[in-house]
Amino acid sequence: MWFKNLQVYRLPAPWNKTPEEIEQALATQRFAPASSNEMLRQGWDSPRGNEQLVHVVHKQMLIMLGTEKKLLPTSVINQVAKAKAKDLEEQQGFPPGKKAMKELKERVADELLPRAFSIRSNVFTWIDPVNGWLVVDAASPAKADDVVKHLLKAVDRMPLESLRVQRSPVTVMTAWLEHDESPAGFTIDMDTELRATGESRAAVRYVKHTLEPEDIRRHIKSGKQCTRLAMTWNDRISFVLTEALAVKSVKALDVMKENESSAVDDNEKFDNDFMLMTGELSKMLADLVEALGGEARV
């Protein structure tokens, strides 16, 4: 298994919390299906479907936050409420007022909720207690923040912090492009976004397009800065670095897939993939932090 998007946080390295202690803490918020009158239910579930909330491979841990959300579109509520309002108007001789209409919509929502469809989603989190990484596989910071909120609520006094670096990713990525020079161990790929900082918010985006140095420098000279940059680490992993220090569109390249060992069954293959992923990503993240000037300490 490979994470597609990395929202990165920091733990002390090494972190001495054991998988058993984390399992016990997460069990207080174990996932249970939403009842008929609940719109949303969240909780920790087994990442491997075996009742264990913490999956461990060579000290690396995998946990999963499960979410069940009912689909009840506002348009449906409004449609049913409108029909009921019309019946009510015929009965009482005048249309319901603003307050009465609000209460009617609330009653309609309560009536429709037990029949609403449920959507289940899962967000995986990798905990590396050896090197001090905590990584949420989420495309948006909001979704990662939701996971972190539940984690901090479950695990008492968890010393978790956002990853901070010495130099702004925007400044560093812009300098790499301006000087047509990538940091040691990395290459710059053919996708980037340059955005103006002024009121115009003008932007130019390259997708699978050669980044001609002169064209890039012209955009930078006009006031644009790099907010997204596609890169490859050691010919092994490609990704997109964002201005918010998120790592997106992570892909293991063929050179890594060739090194994958043959597994006897699905469980063994999963563990092999997870071990390979965590080993490579921990090194890549360390090199990326170094390329951004190292970690910023408070």
Side-chain angles (χ1 to χ4, degrees), residues 255-266:
V255 67
M256 290 192 63
K257 295 177 181 178
E258 291 172 0
N259 293 331
E260 290 181 353
S261 60
S262 58
V264 175
D265 55 31
D266 289 343

Side-chain angles (χ1 to χ4, degrees), residues 161-225:
E161 297 180 351
S162 297
L163 174 63
R164 295 185 295 271
V165 291
Q166 293 283 356
R167 302 178 64 196
S168 160
V170 170
T171 301
V172 176
M173 291 189 295
T174 302
W176 290 339
L177 290 177
E178 184 176 16
H179 298 106
D180 191 23
E181 184 177 11
S182 56
F186 295 86
T187 55
I188 293 174
D189 297 336
M190 300 171 67
D191 292 60
T192 191
E193 180 180 85
L194 296 156
R195 188 176 293 275
T197 56
E199 294 181 359
S200 69
R201 299 297 292 170
V204 59
R205 190 167 188 180
Y206 291 79
V207 179
K208 296 181 180 179
H209 193 287
T210 301
L211 307 183
E212 297 292 347
E214 290 305 315
D215 290 341
I216 296 296
R217 291 188 187 109
R218 186 173 67 252
H219 287 300
I220 293 174
K221 189 175 181 180
S222 71
K224 296 185 182 70
Q225 293 183 308

Side-chain angles (χ1 to χ4, degrees), residues 26 29-32 43-54 62-67 120 122 124:
L26 298 185
Q29 296 181 21
R30 184 181 288 271
F31 177 82
W44 300 103
D45 208 349
S46 172
R48 297 297 294 140
N50 57 5
E51 299 301 320
Q52 292 183 344
L53 299 180
V54 181
L62 182 69
I63 60 176
M64 183 182 81
L65 183 70
T67 299
R120 175 67 192 270
N122 300 313
F124 291 92

Side-chain angles (χ1 to χ4, degrees), residues 123-175:
V123 179
F124 291 92
T125 298
W126 155 44
I127 301 174
D128 178 358
V130 178
N131 301 293
W133 301 111
L134 186 142
V135 179
V136 182
D137 185 7
S140 71
K143 187 171 286 188
D145 288 345
D146 192 33
V147 172
V148 169
K149 178 188 71 176
H150 281 80
L151 191 56
L152 293 177
K153 186 177 179 181
V155 182
D156 187 40
R157 298 179 182 178
M158 188 172 189
L160 186 63
E161 297 180 351
S162 297
L163 174 63
R164 295 185 295 271
V165 291
Q166 293 283 356
R167 302 178 64 196
S168 160
V170 170
T171 301
V172 176
M173 291 189 295
T174 302

